[in-house]
Amino acid sequence: MITQWIRIPLERPVGFSIKTLTHREHILVRIQSDQGIEGVGFCLQDISGRAAKAAMDDLLVPMLLGEDPRNINKIWENMYWQTVRAGRRGNLLHALSAIDIALWDHQAKLAGMPLYKLLGAYREEVPCYASGGYYYEGLEVFTKLEQEIQGYMDQGFRAVKIKVGRLDPVQEAKRVKLVRDLIGPDVKLMIDANQAYLDVNECIELCKRVEEYDITFFEEPLPIDMMEAYVRLRKQTSIPLATGEVGATRWEFQELIRQGALDYIQPDATMCGGVSEWLKIAALASAQGVTIAPHYHWDVHVHLGCATREVAILEKFIGTDVKNFDLIINSPMQVTPRGTLVPPEGPGLGIEWNEQAIRKYLVDEKVMAYDSVPKGV
């Protein structure tokens, strides 16, 4: 088993409402079996790659050594319940998520089929939206936004999302109006505040200023911890609400759904507990008629979206200005002329890793040997 911590610098600083990014960090985990099959999992870890890798190396990986990698449910339960005092969310759960994704990648490769086929395909492609509208230091806010959105339209996107929450409500409303005027009435428009608003009344002010621009959903207007505040906000605005990219496990999402706080949930398999937990969350959403719009890593979510009817749309970044994970992948996924993403037909996740690039951005690596991997696996 190999764990790798990589840090990929961004070409220039890029910001959203509460933070400016200069790089992206990920943890990779590679699980090998005695047939030479390797399952690879990953998680985004901008804040503390070192902590997530330590949680993986010191707490979780020792629980896997000698286990049959096909016993995914058994392994998940053991990793989660044996570490609840160390953390049921955050760094440890992100590390657990990466391991679970690696196990499912291995399972599908063992079966010789794409992950979405192994899970029971519902469709062959999923709609996606262009995710952008970030704040770039040193660039004029409105000019940069106009150029970016026009680029998405030229590429044929039928849905876009922009950031809000860094500027005052008047300025943010001007940005939203600019985008709506550019894309016209038939293209979907979403906004994302990255949990910027701590005051429901302030958030209501922004909602009132942008409601006329037909917003498909308002993502993370408030911190996910403020569930009752979401309920209050939902009563005060006609804009559908979404959150969940930092949500943890089925239990947190169950409470969000139970309180009637949301119209869309956004579980991220690299953070919520892996493929195993994502599927449980999707089942909760299905039972309550809640729509799913997964966050970020389309390389795994395209498979989950193709296996799950409740997924309405996937997030897609163009280029590597913000999401530069594509720099360590050969043949990154492209958007179809229909504005959809199609999962690779290779076994597992179908990702071809650029090993030279991984070595270039590698911060730390640890190799752990199995002594008792079950034979025939």
Side-chain angles (χ1 to χ4, degrees):
M1 180 177 296
I2 301 172
T3 62
Q4 297 172 309
W5 168 21
I6 61 172
R7 180 187 293 124
I8 310 176
L10 293 171
E11 291 185 11
R12 65 180 303 152
V14 59
F16 49 87
S17 60
I18 61 174
K19 186 178 180 181
T20 296
L21 303 172
T22 59
H23 62 276
R24 292 292 206 183
E25 296 189 17
H26 292 82
I27 307 299
L28 304 184
V29 56
R30 300 165 182 258
I31 297 174
Q32 299 103 357
S33 60
D34 66 345
Q35 285 190 347
I37 295 175
E38 180 180 74
V40 183
F42 45 87
C43 63
L44 173 69
Q45 201 61 37
D46 283 334
I47 296 175
S48 182
R50 185 182 304 279
K53 189 167 187 299
M56 183 180 288
D57 292 344
D58 298 341
L59 297 176
L60 298 177
V61 166
M63 299 181 190
L64 274 72
L65 300 180
E67 289 287 346
D68 185 332
R70 295 171 295 187
N71 296 341
I72 299 176
N73 287 334
K74 173 189 173 185
I75 292 171
W76 194 99
E77 293 285 319
N78 190 43
M79 287 192 297
Y80 185 79
W81 294 112
Q82 292 298 317
T83 60
V84 289
R85 289 178 180 267
R88 295 163 151 109
R89 60 170 71 181
N91 291 320
L92 191 139
L93 190 65
H94 299 173
L96 185 156
S97 301
I99 291 172
D100 184 81
I101 291 168
L103 291 171
W104 278 102
D105 186 40
H106 174 275
Q107 187 90 328
K109 288 175 178 175
L110 189 66
M113 62 179 67
L115 178 59
Y116 81 102
K117 293 286 190 182
L118 180 71
L119 296 175
Y122 170 74
R123 54 188 161 185
E124 303 294 323
E125 60 183 5
V126 189
C128 66
Y129 64 85
S131 190
Y134 283 70
Y135 307 90
Y136 291 85
E137 295 183 4
L139 295 181
E140 203 281 323
V141 173
F142 292 93
T143 301
K144 173 65 174 68
L145 181 62
E146 183 175 2
Q147 293 171 346
E148 180 183 348
I149 299 302
Q150 188 58 57
Y152 297 149
M153 294 301 95
D154 293 343
Q155 295 176 63
F157 274 98
R158 304 303 300 163
V160 299
K161 186 179 78 180
I162 68 167
K163 298 298 185 183
V164 296
R166 177 169 281 204
L167 308 179
D168 65 71
V170 174
Q171 291 295 99
E172 293 294 7
K174 289 181 179 179
R175 294 176 72 246
V176 175
K177 180 182 185 302
L178 170 67
V179 175
R180 174 52 76 194
D181 289 345
L182 281 169
I183 66 179
D186 299 326
V187 175
K188 292 181 179 180
L189 172 59
M190 289 78 79
I191 58 176
D192 179 5
N194 290 104
Q195 308 183 71
Y197 296 99
L198 303 179
D199 185 318
V200 174
N201 291 324
E202 183 182 6
C203 192
I204 290 172
E205 180 186 351
L206 176 64
C207 289
K208 288 181 177 179
R209 291 181 180 276
V210 301
E211 278 178 332
E212 63 181 292
Y213 304 122
D214 188 19
I215 308 300
T216 298
F217 63 70
F218 188 171
E219 178 176 334
E220 287 197 315
L222 307 159
I224 192 173
D225 310 271
M226 298 168 61
M227 293 185 191
E228 292 184 3
Y230 270 92
V231 176
R232 289 171 56 204
L233 176 61
R234 197 176 186 214
K235 292 177 180 178
Q236 296 294 320
T237 181
S238 62
I239 301 174
L241 303 182
T243 197
E245 69 177 64
V246 298
T249 75
R250 76 201 83 157
W251 296 286
E252 184 167 16
F253 281 92
Q254 180 183 40
E255 187 63 15
L256 283 169
I257 294 171
R258 186 191 69 80
Q259 291 207 24
L262 300 169
D263 301 279
Y264 292 77
I265 60 170
Q266 300 180 286
D268 185 329
T270 72
M271 292 193 273
C272 73
V275 170
S276 298
E277 197 66 2
W278 193 99
L279 293 170
K280 293 180 174 69
I281 293 166
L284 289 172
S286 177
Q288 299 299 323
V290 176
T291 306
I292 303 175
H295 166 254
Y296 211 67
H297 271 302
W298 56 82
D299 296 291
V300 60
H301 292 135
V302 68
H303 290 275
L304 300 177
C306 281
T308 309
R309 180 186 62 82
E310 289 71 28
V311 172
I313 199 163
L314 299 176
E315 184 168 27
K316 181 70 171 74
F317 288 84
I318 302 303
T320 56
D321 287 349
V322 178
K323 184 181 184 295
N324 54 13
F325 193 68
D326 280 353
L327 294 176
I328 62 170
I329 295 176
N330 293 324
S331 303
M333 197 176 301
Q334 302 297 316
V335 179
T336 72
R338 300 176 298 281
T340 63
L341 291 175
V342 177
E345 284 301 319
L349 293 173
I351 298 174
E352 296 181 11
W353 298 98
N354 185 331
E355 300 296 342
Q356 183 176 355
I358 289 173
R359 306 308 300 182
K360 174 182 177 181
Y361 300 117
L362 188 64
V363 179
D364 184 58
E365 179 178 69
K366 187 173 183 179
V367 180
M368 290 143 283
Y370 292 105
D371 291 325
S372 56
V373 174
K375 298 299 178 184
V377 177

